[in-house]
Amino acid sequence: ADILDSYLRTDGVWIFTRNKEFYKTNNEKECAGKCEAERNFTCRAFLFTRKKLQCLTLAENAKMTVAFSSTDTVLYEKIIYLMECKRGIGTDYRGTEAKTQRGIPCQKWAEKIPHKPKYTPEKYPNAGLEENYCRNPDADESGPWCYTTDPATRFDYCAIPECEDQCMQCNGEDYHGEVSRTESGLECQPWDVQEPHMHGFILKHYPDKDLKMNYCRNPDGELRPWCFTTSPKKRWEYCNIPRCNTPPPVSGLGSQCLSGKGEDYRGRMAITESGKACQHWNTQFPHKHGWIPDRYPCKGLEENYCRNPDGEKKPWCYTTNSSIRWEYCTIPPCDRTEEEIAGMNNVPVQVPLTEECYRGKGQSYRGTTSVTVSGRKCQAWSSMFPHTHIKTPDRFPDADLRDNYCRNPDGDSSPWCFTTDPNTIWEYCNLKRCDDHTQE
C-alpha cells in the first residue's frame, strides 16, 4: 500500500506546534518516511511545502493545536491519531480518551502512584502509552483500558465507541470505505476501467480522490458517494452509505481569504464581482437551485455569503438580480508569509468602525445596524419570509439592500426594515441622526 494511504491530506493549511523537526525531502512520500522514522517524539502529522521542498514532522495534529491558511503547504495527518473510535479490540487505538467507563480519571502510564504498572512506555514503546490515554497494550479482548487514579481500583476499561468504517461524514467526499455496490445492488465498475462506461475520473487526474478498485467514492461533490456500474444499461448510481452518528472532525479553520479555488473560504463577502447582492442559499427566489444548506452540511452555505461548494475556479453566489443567475465574487487572496501567520496570534484584528447614524432621511446610510426601534431583528431584503414585499435588491440596485441592514430605499423619513416578527411588517430602525459637525 502507498505510505500516504494512512494519512489524511489537507491542502493550504499550516499548523503551529512546539515539537517539530525540519528535513529536506524531494516529495511527500519521503517526508512521510521521515515521520514514520521520527524518534524525537511521536510523529502525528507532517507539513510539506512544494516550493521549498521542506518537510516538517510534527508532534501535534490540527485537532490539538491552531491551524491557519497557508498557500503552497500540504498538511498530512496520521489517520490513526484522528480517530476517537476503536476497530476490533482496539490495540491500535490512539485517541485521547483518558477516563474509565465509570468516569474515573486514568493514571499516567509513566507514573507509579497510586498503582505500580506492569505496562510502561519503556517496556512497550510501540503500544502508544502516552500521557494517561486509554490503550490496549496486552490485546485484552474487552478493549482499551487504563490504570485508574482511584487507589481502590487498579484498572478499568474505557468506553471507546466502535469505528463506523462504512459510514460517511458530510457528503462523503472523504469516504474511504470498501462498499462497491450501488443502492440497487449493482456491482461498481473499477475506476481504472473504461467499460462498459467511458469516463474522465482517472486516478492521475484526481490523485487525491482515492479512486481505488471499484469502491464507491464522491470525487465531484455529489450528494453522496457513487460509482459507475457494470450494467451497460445504468451508467452510474448512488451507493447506500449510512451517515455517521458522530460529528465530522474539524480539520483547520475556515479561511477568510482566497486560497487555491477558495473551497474552504468561510468569510462574509456577499456581493459579486460586478456589485450585485447575493441570494441567500436557503431561499429559492429569484433563482431555484439545488445547493440547499441541509443537503450539504459541510459546505458553509450560510446566509448569502460567497462560497465554492462545487469546485468552481473561485467562490461565487446566485444573485438577487432575476436576469443574472450567478456570478463569481472578488475575494482577497491569502499571501501571508509564515512570519505574518505566526504574528496573527499576537496582533489584535483592527475592525474599522462605521458611524452608526444617518444624515437627512438616511438614504445614504450604509451602516450595518439591523435592529428596529422596538428591538426586533430585521428581515433580509432578498428574503420573502415572513413578509412578502417588492423592496428587493434588483428593483432598487442603488439602495445597497445588503443582508438585513437598515436602509431607506423609498425616501421615507429615516432608515427602516421589514422585521422577522410575522405580526409586525416593518419598523424604523434604532438609529440616531448624525451631528452636523461629524465627518461622514
Side-chain angles (χ1 to χ4, degrees):
D2 192 313
I3 191 171
L4 297 177
D5 286 350
S6 58
Y7 290 82
L8 174 68
R9 170 181 172 151
T10 310
D11 286 285
V13 170
W14 184 278
I15 66 173
F16 290 106
T17 177
R18 291 180 298 279
N19 279 342
K20 56 181 176 286
E21 291 291 336
F22 290 82
Y23 300 98
K24 190 79 175 176
T25 58
N26 294 309
N27 53 51
E28 286 100 323
K29 287 186 180 180
E30 287 183 19
C31 194
K34 297 291 185 186
C35 185
E36 297 295 333
E38 188 62 70
R39 292 293 173 263
N40 295 315
F41 48 76
T42 300
C43 183
R44 289 181 174 80
F46 68 85
L47 286 163
F48 184 78
T49 55
R50 298 186 190 93
K51 284 182 184 172
K52 296 180 183 177
L53 297 179
Q54 193 178 54
C55 168
L56 281 78
T57 57
L58 312 172
E60 296 167 302
N61 53 32
K63 191 172 72 170
M64 304 165 69
T65 183
V66 184
F68 293 98
S69 294
S70 177
T71 318
D72 193 51
T73 306
V74 187
L75 170 67
Y76 283 89
E77 300 169 276
K78 278 189 179 178
I79 294 171
I80 195 170
Y81 289 110
L82 296 173
M83 293 165 58
E84 289 296 343
C85 56
K86 65 180 173 72
R87 291 181 291 206
I89 60 174
T91 51
D92 64 348
Y93 172 72
R94 294 296 182 271
T96 54
E97 181 60 72
K99 63 179 183 297
T100 71
Q101 58 192 354
R102 295 183 179 84
I104 303 170
C106 294
Q107 173 183 316
K108 288 189 175 183
W109 295 97
E111 292 184 351
K112 295 179 171 59
I113 298 174
H115 306 287
K116 189 175 180 181
K118 175 182 176 182
Y119 296 92
T120 63
E122 292 77 26
K123 290 181 183 176
Y124 296 84
N126 299 320
L129 304 182
E130 308 164 272
E131 299 294 332
N132 61 337
Y133 302 143
C134 300
R135 294 291 183 261
N136 193 357
D138 57 345
D140 192 306
E141 288 296 323
S142 298
W145 57 274
C146 70
Y147 298 109
T148 87
T149 51
D150 178 0
T153 306
R154 178 169 169 78
F155 84 98
D156 198 1
Y157 297 103
C158 304
I160 311 295
E162 291 287 336
C163 286
E164 300 169 287
D165 272 347
Q166 302 302 335
C167 68
M168 67 171 188
Q169 302 279 15
C170 302
N171 294 95
E173 297 96 334
D174 296 323
Y175 171 72
H176 298 295
E178 298 181 2
V179 170
S180 58
R181 287 190 179 274
T182 70
E183 57 189 2
S184 70
L186 296 173
E187 187 179 346
C188 292
Q189 172 182 315
W191 294 98
D192 60 355
V193 170
Q194 296 291 318
E195 292 178 0
H197 306 289
M198 290 189 69
H199 63 89
F201 289 97
I202 301 165
L203 182 60
K204 69 176 182 179
H205 295 158
Y206 296 85
D208 56 342
K209 299 299 183 181
D210 195 34
L211 302 180
K212 288 183 192 169
M213 307 289 284
N214 63 337
Y215 301 144
C216 301
R217 293 291 182 261
N218 188 2
D220 57 345
E222 272 286 348
L223 272 175
R224 56 186 196 273
W226 57 277
C227 69
F228 296 105
T229 86
T230 49
S231 166
K233 296 178 181 178
K234 189 77 173 176
R235 179 168 171 78
W236 72 276
E237 198 172 45
Y238 287 120
C239 301
N240 192 19
I241 315 277
R243 192 172 294 280
C244 297
N245 295 323
T246 52
V250 178
S251 181
L253 301 175
S255 176
Q256 301 297 305
C257 52
L258 183 64
S259 171
K261 293 181 178 180
E263 288 162 306
D264 66 340
Y265 174 69
R266 294 296 181 269
R268 301 182 66 175
M269 178 65 73
I271 300 175
T272 70
E273 55 190 5
S274 71
K276 294 177 181 61
C278 292
Q279 174 181 320
H280 277 64
W281 294 100
N282 62 358
T283 64
Q284 296 291 314
F285 180 83
H287 305 288
K288 288 189 175 182
H289 62 91
W291 289 109
I292 298 165
D294 289 346
R295 287 189 188 173
Y296 298 92
C298 302
K299 298 291 186 181
L301 303 180
E302 310 155 279
E303 302 292 336
N304 62 336
Y305 304 142
C306 300
R307 293 291 182 259
N308 188 3
D310 57 348
E312 270 284 350
K313 66 180 183 181
K314 59 181 180 177
W316 57 275
C317 70
Y318 297 105
T319 86
T320 50
N321 185 322
S322 56
S323 60
I324 297 175
R325 182 167 172 79
W326 70 276
E327 278 186 342
Y328 291 117
C329 302
T330 303
I331 311 295
C334 304
D335 6 72
R336 303 187 185 102
T337 63
E338 260 177 65
E339 292 76 20
E340 287 172 329
I341 294 171
M344 286 171 65
N345 271 343
N346 307 317
V347 181
V349 178
Q350 298 296 326
V351 180
L353 296 172
T354 54
E355 191 177 28
E356 291 302 306
C357 62
Y358 68 92
R359 294 181 179 279
K361 293 182 177 181
Q363 288 172 286
S364 64
Y365 172 73
R366 294 295 181 267
T368 56
T369 292
S370 56
V371 178
T372 71
V373 287
S374 68
R376 289 179 170 84
K377 184 181 175 184
C378 292
Q379 173 182 320
W381 295 99
S382 57
S383 172
M384 293 292 134
F385 182 82
H387 306 292
T388 305
H389 61 91
I390 59 170
K391 300 293 193 299
T392 57
D394 58 323
R395 291 197 183 196
F396 294 84
D398 301 323
D400 189 42
L401 301 183
R402 283 183 294 141
D403 293 320
N404 62 338
Y405 302 146
C406 299
R407 293 291 182 261
N408 188 0
D410 55 354
D412 208 317
S413 59
S414 69
W416 59 277
C417 69
F418 297 105
T419 87
T420 52
D421 180 349
N423 300 317
T424 304
I425 298 177
W426 72 275
E427 279 187 331
Y428 291 113
C429 288
N430 188 21
L431 284 164
K432 62 186 179 191
R433 196 184 296 273
C434 296
D435 180 349
D436 289 338
H437 301 293
T438 308
Q439 276 194 324
E440 288 265 9

